[in-house]
Amino acid sequence: SLFDLEFGWTTQDNNQFYWKNLTGEPVVISMFYSSCQSVCPRIVTDMQRIAKQIEKKTGKLPKMALVSFDPAVDTPAALKKYSKKMDLGDNW
């Protein structure tokens, strides 16, 4: 389980993040490349649709996570820029 991983992940705000901090909360996760221009934007759009459906059913937005396949390119600054471009909210 991701929740059992001990090491931290770096967020778009250059902070350390630990999956175990989300135990008990719904989380929608996908792998992606911010430089991808074909499939990845569709994945994000699908995730946004899923989040809205969950919010409609539960009254609460789920936590959303995009995990990069390419951390050399997807630096925190690149991820921050991508987040703004894709209009991702605070639950991402």
Side-chain angles (χ1 to χ4, degrees), residues 4 16 27 31 37 43 48 50 53 57 61 66 73 78 83-85 91:
D4 292 331
Q16 287 295 296
V27 183
M31 303 290 288
Q37 298 299 310
I43 290 169
Q48 289 170 320
I50 290 166
Q53 290 174 346
K57 190 170 186 174
L61 279 170
L66 291 170
V73 172
S83 177
K84 288 180 183 177
K85 174 184 169 188
N91 61 315

Side-chain angles (χ1 to χ4, degrees), residues 2-90:
L2 284 172
F3 300 111
D4 292 331
L5 296 176
E6 294 292 326
F7 58 89
W9 298 65
T10 304
T11 70
Q12 68 185 16
D13 295 319
N14 208 26
N15 296 322
Q16 287 295 296
F17 168 81
Y18 298 90
W19 292 106
K20 65 184 176 183
N21 294 341
L22 297 178
T23 301
E25 295 187 48
V27 183
V28 179
I29 303 167
S30 181
M31 303 290 288
F32 88 121
Y33 298 100
S34 69
S35 59
C36 169
Q37 298 299 310
S38 57
V39 176
C40 296
R42 174 61 193 249
I43 290 169
V44 172
T45 300
D46 287 347
M47 289 177 70
Q48 289 170 320
R49 182 181 45 79
I50 290 166
K52 287 178 185 175
Q53 290 174 346
I54 291 170
E55 180 184 31
K56 187 175 182 180
K57 190 170 186 174
T58 67
K60 183 178 176 185
L61 279 170
K63 298 291 184 184
M64 308 296 284
L66 291 170
V67 179
S68 174
F69 282 111
D70 189 5
V73 172
D74 290 336
T75 63
L79 294 175
K80 187 81 158 180
K81 183 177 177 181
Y82 187 83
S83 177
K84 288 180 183 177
K85 174 184 169 188
M86 296 303 290
D87 195 28
L88 304 180
D90 292 337

